[in-house]
Amino acid sequence: MAETSTTTYDTRGAQMFLRLSDNEIGRIAQFGEQRRFQSGQTVARAGEVGDGLMVILSGSVEVTRVEGGK
């Protein structure tokens, strides 16, 4: 029998990356501010205190991990 490899994204992707309706986005928008980022700009770093919840309205974000240093 062949082994099947699954990732956290495969099993919990829908929980980690919710799809909000326009109504839901409108409701949470009152508690924050809209910001724009340039391509390649860092929006958060592991181990640093962030600004709170981020909702990606358009575009994409690449999550990377650098080993062995800052």
Side-chain angles (χ1 to χ4, degrees):
M1 183 181 255
E3 267 188 51
T4 302
S5 176
T6 60
T7 66
T8 301
Y9 181 79
D10 292 334
T11 59
R12 301 203 176 206
Q15 293 171 333
M16 295 186 308
F17 303 105
L18 301 175
R19 301 279 180 176
L20 301 175
S21 69
D22 289 343
N23 185 43
E24 291 169 321
I25 291 170
R27 289 174 57 200
I28 64 172
Q30 64 185 322
F31 300 105
E33 65 183 52
Q34 193 172 77
R35 296 175 58 190
R36 294 178 185 269
F37 296 92
Q38 298 297 317
S39 179
Q41 185 177 355
T42 300
V43 298
R45 291 186 190 281
E48 294 182 4
V49 176
D51 293 331
L53 175 71
M54 289 187 190
V55 177
I56 310 302
L57 298 176
S58 67
S60 61
V61 175
E62 180 178 353
V63 178
T64 59
R65 179 176 175 174
V66 178
E67 297 288 337
K70 293 185 177 185

